[in-house]
Amino acid sequence: MKKKLFSALSLLLIVCLMLALAGCGSSSDTASNDSESSQAAAAEEESADTQEETAGEADETEQSDGTVYEELSLTATTSFSTTEDGGKNFQYFCDYIEEHSNGAITIELYTGGTLCSSSEELNMVASGAVDMAALATTQFLDTLTLLNFPTMVLGDEQTALDYYNYLTFENEETAALIADEAAANNVKYLGFQAGGTTCWLSTKTLTCIDDIKGIKFGAAQNQNAFLSLGVDVVSLSLPDGYENLSRGVLDAVTMSFNPTVAMKWYEVATNYLMLGTYVAGNPFTINLDVWNAMPESTQALFEEAAKATAAYSLELARDGYETNMNTVLDAGCTVSYISEEEGELWYSTMYKYQVIDCRSVAESAGKADEMETVLAAAAEYVGIDLSAIETE
């Protein structure tokens, strides 16, 4: 009996031991599975973190392809209307800035003199009442004296633009003088616009210089040059040009060609004489405090926009010339071209009296020495003998 009991107990002990071992195995398997699950979760979390980091790095890489600009809102003014080349050029400049800054920088442009007249633009920009303008520089002879160097060149639109850029930005001596004068007025120049070719427009037939003698000839500037040619010159007010030509107050005017078409002066004066001289001007001008507060990347964008706009203005001037020439011809206007010999006479006469006027204004402004530096560089660039003008 004892033997049977012992055998039963032994068997029970073995069963318990086996069950215990099985339980240990199950616990080990569970722990192993838990460990594997934890490791998988950790790996998944690490992968997610890595993906987030990679995504962040991709964003930074994408942004670094183009500079990230700080948000900035500016105002600008121009006396040009939206339909004139000057207004189109300034709008192109503003759009270029906004597009290439991905909308971070915006410029609200007031056209047609709605914010201020052209004679008020410099004071508005200098004071910070407005941030930018495309200055009509001849309005400011006493303050922007050095920028008012002789204006016209023979050649084409590109030649005129190159001439202005050379004196204002590229020639070390003249660029420094002109920049210092601008800084004294709390402004900075960014670039110029092509102005196209010049002409005489008259109610009478014009074919040569002699044809403008003895008639009432309107000129907004350079009047001494016309007087030296025996012309009865009258001060020209651009807003009154159409009416004065239609009423006979003026018989003829001197102007850039494209604006005469934009203002429809060809409706009342139907005879053109093309002079073969070209102009540029209306620099994009920015308040110096605003400029100095800009990061270098933003400054670089504005300079880039000015260059792009200069190229655009060239296309506009050339395309505008072709379109406008068709317009005046279709309107029945007569178009003549000055001879090469007379064209050179006209240009040298104009240049001479512009030099004389520049010296007179600079003397009054206390900038005679600085102006001589500018005039010397300008004359060398266009091939004029400045010493011949000095001795007369």
Side-chain angles (χ1 to χ4, degrees), residues 101-270:
S101 68
N102 294 320
I105 304 173
T106 58
I107 303 174
E108 185 174 7
L109 177 61
Y110 294 86
T111 59
T114 54
L115 197 60
C116 66
S117 67
S118 59
S119 62
E120 298 172 310
E121 288 174 345
L122 177 59
N123 287 336
M124 291 285 282
V125 178
S127 67
V130 66
D131 300 304
M132 291 191 67
L135 296 183
T137 54
T138 54
Q139 301 267 6
F140 313 108
L141 298 177
D142 295 335
T143 47
L144 305 181
T145 309
L146 302 180
L147 192 63
N148 280 283
F149 43 75
T151 55
M152 294 190 299
V153 299
L154 294 170
D156 58 17
E157 295 91 348
Q158 183 69 65
T159 306
L161 204 53
D162 291 344
Y163 170 70
Y164 270 75
N165 286 332
Y166 173 75
L167 293 175
T168 308
F169 303 118
E170 297 168 11
N171 181 292
E172 290 185 5
E173 284 188 297
T174 61
L177 292 172
I178 292 172
D180 287 346
E181 180 183 67
N185 289 279
N186 200 36
V187 299
K188 176 181 173 60
Y189 309 124
L190 299 177
F192 295 93
Q193 307 172 48
T197 190
T198 58
C199 67
W200 294 338
L201 174 61
S202 176
T203 57
K204 305 178 183 300
T205 300
L206 298 180
T207 59
C208 61
I209 292 176
D210 282 344
D211 289 339
I212 65 173
K213 296 179 180 179
I215 66 176
K216 292 169 286 189
F217 194 89
Q221 55 187 330
N222 306 315
Q223 296 179 358
N224 288 332
F226 291 100
L227 290 172
S228 74
L229 295 171
V231 177
D232 181 15
V233 67
V234 180
S235 180
L236 170 63
S237 171
L238 296 183
D240 300 328
Y242 187 103
E243 182 180 357
N244 287 344
L245 285 166
S246 65
R247 292 173 50 204
V249 175
L250 296 175
D251 297 317
V253 295
T254 179
M255 275 284 288
S256 293
F257 172 63
N258 286 346
T260 69
V261 182
M263 293 183 286
K264 300 191 175 184
W265 288 2
Y266 65 90
E267 293 179 345
V268 292
T270 60

Side-chain angles (χ1 to χ4, degrees), residues 190-357:
L190 299 177
F192 295 93
Q193 307 172 48
T197 190
T198 58
C199 67
W200 294 338
L201 174 61
S202 176
T203 57
K204 305 178 183 300
T205 300
L206 298 180
T207 59
C208 61
I209 292 176
D210 282 344
D211 289 339
I212 65 173
K213 296 179 180 179
I215 66 176
K216 292 169 286 189
F217 194 89
Q221 55 187 330
N222 306 315
Q223 296 179 358
N224 288 332
F226 291 100
L227 290 172
S228 74
L229 295 171
V231 177
D232 181 15
V233 67
V234 180
S235 180
L236 170 63
S237 171
L238 296 183
D240 300 328
Y242 187 103
E243 182 180 357
N244 287 344
L245 285 166
S246 65
R247 292 173 50 204
V249 175
L250 296 175
D251 297 317
V253 295
T254 179
M255 275 284 288
S256 293
F257 172 63
N258 286 346
T260 69
V261 182
M263 293 183 286
K264 300 191 175 184
W265 288 2
Y266 65 90
E267 293 179 345
V268 292
T270 60
N271 300 282
Y272 279 92
L273 181 61
M274 311 305 293
L275 301 173
T277 48
Y278 293 80
V279 296
N282 295 102
F284 294 112
T285 306
I286 190 167
N287 176 277
L288 189 59
D289 295 329
V290 171
W291 175 261
N292 289 335
M294 288 180 175
E296 289 185 5
S297 58
T298 302
Q299 291 179 348
L301 175 62
F302 272 65
E303 291 173 338
E304 177 186 309
K307 290 181 180 178
T309 305
Y312 173 77
S313 75
L314 280 171
E315 294 179 13
L316 209 57
R318 290 166 177 162
D319 292 345
Y321 174 83
E322 182 176 349
T323 300
N324 290 330
M325 184 58 69
N326 289 332
T327 297
V328 300
L329 290 174
D330 290 344
C333 294
T334 299
V335 179
S336 302
Y337 297 84
I338 200 167
S339 68
E340 183 177 350
E341 181 180 358
E342 283 219 321
E344 290 178 355
L345 171 61
W346 157 245
Y347 178 66
S348 61
T349 301
M350 176 64 74
Y351 203 94
K352 168 187 172 180
Y353 282 94
Q354 284 189 333
V355 168
I356 292 173
D357 289 345

